[in-house]
Structure formats: C-alpha cells, structure tokens
Amino acid sequence: MTATTAPPISLEPTRSTLQASRTALGALILRDLVVLKKNFGEFVVRTLVQPFLLVFVFLYVFPKIGQGIGGAHSGSRAGESDFATVLVPGVVAISIMFQGIQAVAMPLSTEFGYTREIEDRVQAPCPIWLVAISKVLSAAVQGIIAAVIVFPIAAVIHASGAEAHLHVHWAIVLTLIPLACVAMTSLGLLLGTSFEPRNIGLMFGFVVLPLTFLGGTYYQWTRLSPIQIDGFHWLQTIVLVNPLIYVAEGMRAGLTNGISHMHLYIVYPVLVGFAAVFLTLGLRNFRRRVLL
C-alpha cells in the first residue's frame, strides 16, 4: 500500500480583511433592522407623536379657533395655506433629525452605561470604527422610513382651506433625504459619545431644543433677513451653524413650488460637510469611549 499524501495546510485566510469587514458590517446592520422589525409598532408611534401634534395644533386647531398662523395678514385662508406649505417640509426635516439622534444617541447612552453593553458589539470580527458606522447606517434607514411615514400625515391633517400646496421634486427628495439622514445620524453618534449617560437629558435641553427652534421648521431661512442690527442680518447668519436649517430648506425645495428657499448648491455641499465632520468626531469619540 502506498501512503497517501495529505494536502498541505494553507495559512492564507479564506477571505480578505475587506470582505470580512463587509460581512460583519452587513450582519450588524441586519441585526438592528431585525430588532426594528420586531418593534415596528413602537417605532411608528415614537416617530409620529411629535410631527402629528405639530401639524394638528398649527394646521387644524389654530385655524378652527380663528388663530391660524398667516391668516391675519391676508384676511383669508390663503395665508394659513402658505404657512402650511412652509411647515410640512419643516416637519419632515425635524422628524429626520429626531429619528437620527434618538436612534443612535439614546442606545449609546445605554450601551456606554454601567452595564457596558457596547462590549458585546465590539467583539464582532471587524474594526471598532465599523461598529459605529453600522449604527449610523442602520439609523439612517430608520430616518428614511420616518420621513416616508411622516410626510403623508403632515400633508393631510389640516383644517378646511389651510392645506399645504405641495409638489414633489423626486430628484431632490430621493437624494436629499438619504444625505440628511446620514448627516443627522452622524450628529447622533457625536452627541451619544460626547454626553455621559447620566447627562443625556442635558443633550435635549441644550442641543436638540435650540436646533429645533432655530432650524427653520416653522419659517423659511430667507424670511429672517428683516431681523438685523445696524444692517447686519445676525440671526440669519447665526443659524447657518445649525444643520437642521439646511435639511428644512432642502425639503422645501423638494416638496414645494414657488416657496423661497436656500439654494441647493449650498444645501448639498454643506450637508456633506456636516456629515463628514460629525462622523469623524463621532468615530474618534466612539473609539475613545470603547477603549476607556
């Protein structure tokens, strides 16, 4: 009998580091989406509560009791309808922001807490920064779903004669919403890794709330020009550091006709810049917090 020669043992990996990281990233995102599917009802309720209340109060209750915003200047429902047209894109924008921050910052506050649940995630066979990227991308998907859910609600709830005049520009909407979601989830990563779990309430009071009221949700950025000191448009200038203003103005460009808004050649590059800055700082903080 002749001895059979055993095949040589190969020390080469069966797949590259890039392939392994891509597989791990896909698994992490899929895990988050499976959790979202199981808790989809809770997600929908959480997403709709604030936008529904905003639209219900401003576009239904106020006009019904004769206090419709915008109607006093025109003497008719035309002014109220103009305000509705401005408000609906702002409501979609604020939903994207809240979902982006909540879907990343809130879970991180728990995972970085006393139990250190984040250690279970970083044991995945991929770089630490890729775990953070998976959180940003899965939350961005949730932001897109939130925008799709909120838009019909914001468009149909209104008093008679106070409806929004909307016209969807699909090229803008289909490109702006994903970009805005990534920018806002990157902001959520930065906030979630910057605030200690015990101080997460301060994040909403000192960061989220000012972003909301100075983010162009209820008004157009172009209408802020009358607010000035010695010819300097101070408020219109200050709010430019707020990423929400660009999302709201971009949504007005994508959902309306004839409504003044910030130029898109400003909106897109600035949102890309915000996303890059927030993501870079967030990844740095994430790595530091994990290795702490």
Side-chain angles (χ1 to χ4, degrees):
M1 296 179 63
T2 59
T4 58
T5 304
I9 299 176
S10 175
L11 298 180
E12 294 293 328
T14 58
R15 55 184 177 178
S16 66
T17 303
L18 178 62
Q19 291 174 323
S21 297
R22 187 169 60 239
T23 302
L25 176 63
L28 288 169
I29 295 175
L30 181 60
R31 182 260 184 196
D32 288 337
L33 295 181
V34 169
V35 173
L36 173 64
K37 182 180 178 181
K38 291 182 178 180
N39 301 290
F40 192 72
E42 177 185 338
F43 167 79
V44 172
V45 173
R46 184 180 71 241
T47 300
L48 288 181
V49 167
Q50 186 185 42
F52 174 81
L53 290 176
L54 283 174
V55 175
F56 179 72
V57 171
F58 283 114
L59 302 187
Y60 184 81
V61 176
F62 278 13
K64 284 290 187 180
I65 64 177
Q67 297 181 9
I69 298 177
H73 295 86
S74 62
S76 67
R77 286 293 174 89
E80 296 173 4
S81 184
D82 290 341
F83 174 72
T85 306
V86 169
L87 180 65
V88 169
V91 169
V92 176
I94 201 175
S95 300
I96 292 174
M97 185 194 74
F98 267 92
Q99 186 59 44
I101 293 177
Q102 286 183 347
V104 182
M106 298 303 292
L108 281 177
S109 69
T110 301
E111 294 172 2
F112 280 124
Y114 178 76
T115 58
R116 295 288 294 179
E117 295 178 22
I118 191 64
E119 295 178 0
D120 295 335
R121 288 290 193 100
V122 297
Q123 290 178 6
C126 62
I128 291 176
W129 61 268
L130 208 59
V131 177
I133 291 291
S134 72
K135 288 183 170 294
V136 169
L137 294 180
S138 61
V141 173
Q142 296 180 44
I144 294 173
I145 297 174
V148 172
I149 293 174
V150 167
F151 176 67
I153 300 297
V156 301
I157 298 178
H158 55 78
S160 176
E163 69 277 1
H165 300 300
L166 303 176
H167 181 83
V168 180
H169 302 275
W170 289 107
I172 299 174
V173 170
L174 294 178
T175 53
L176 182 71
I177 289 181
L179 174 59
C181 290
V182 171
M184 290 305 171
T185 53
S186 299
L187 175 60
L189 176 66
L190 176 59
L191 295 176
T193 54
S194 298
F195 285 84
E196 294 293 333
R198 65 179 180 274
N199 296 328
I200 201 67
L202 296 176
M203 178 189 75
F204 285 92
F206 288 95
V207 179
V208 178
L209 197 61
L211 290 180
T212 300
F213 283 97
L214 297 176
T217 304
Y218 314 101
Y219 51 83
Q220 300 146 269
W221 176 79
T222 54
R223 294 296 185 92
L224 295 177
S225 55
I227 304 176
Q228 52 184 289
I229 298 177
D230 294 332
F232 175 60
H233 307 286
W234 64 273
L235 185 58
Q236 197 174 41
T237 303
I238 289 175
V239 298
L240 291 177
V241 301
N242 186 345
L244 181 59
I245 199 80
Y246 301 94
V247 181
E249 290 293 294
M251 292 308 303
R252 289 191 180 101
L255 297 177
T256 64
N257 268 342
I259 296 293
S260 62
H261 54 78
M262 190 181 293
H263 293 295
L264 289 175
Y265 61 74
I266 297 175
V267 170
Y268 278 96
V270 173
L271 280 179
V272 170
F274 271 122
V277 171
F278 292 153
L279 188 59
T280 300
L281 296 177
L283 291 176
R284 184 197 64 181
N285 288 354
F286 185 84
R287 179 178 178 81
R288 176 177 57 82
R289 293 286 298 273
V290 168
L291 299 179
L292 192 63

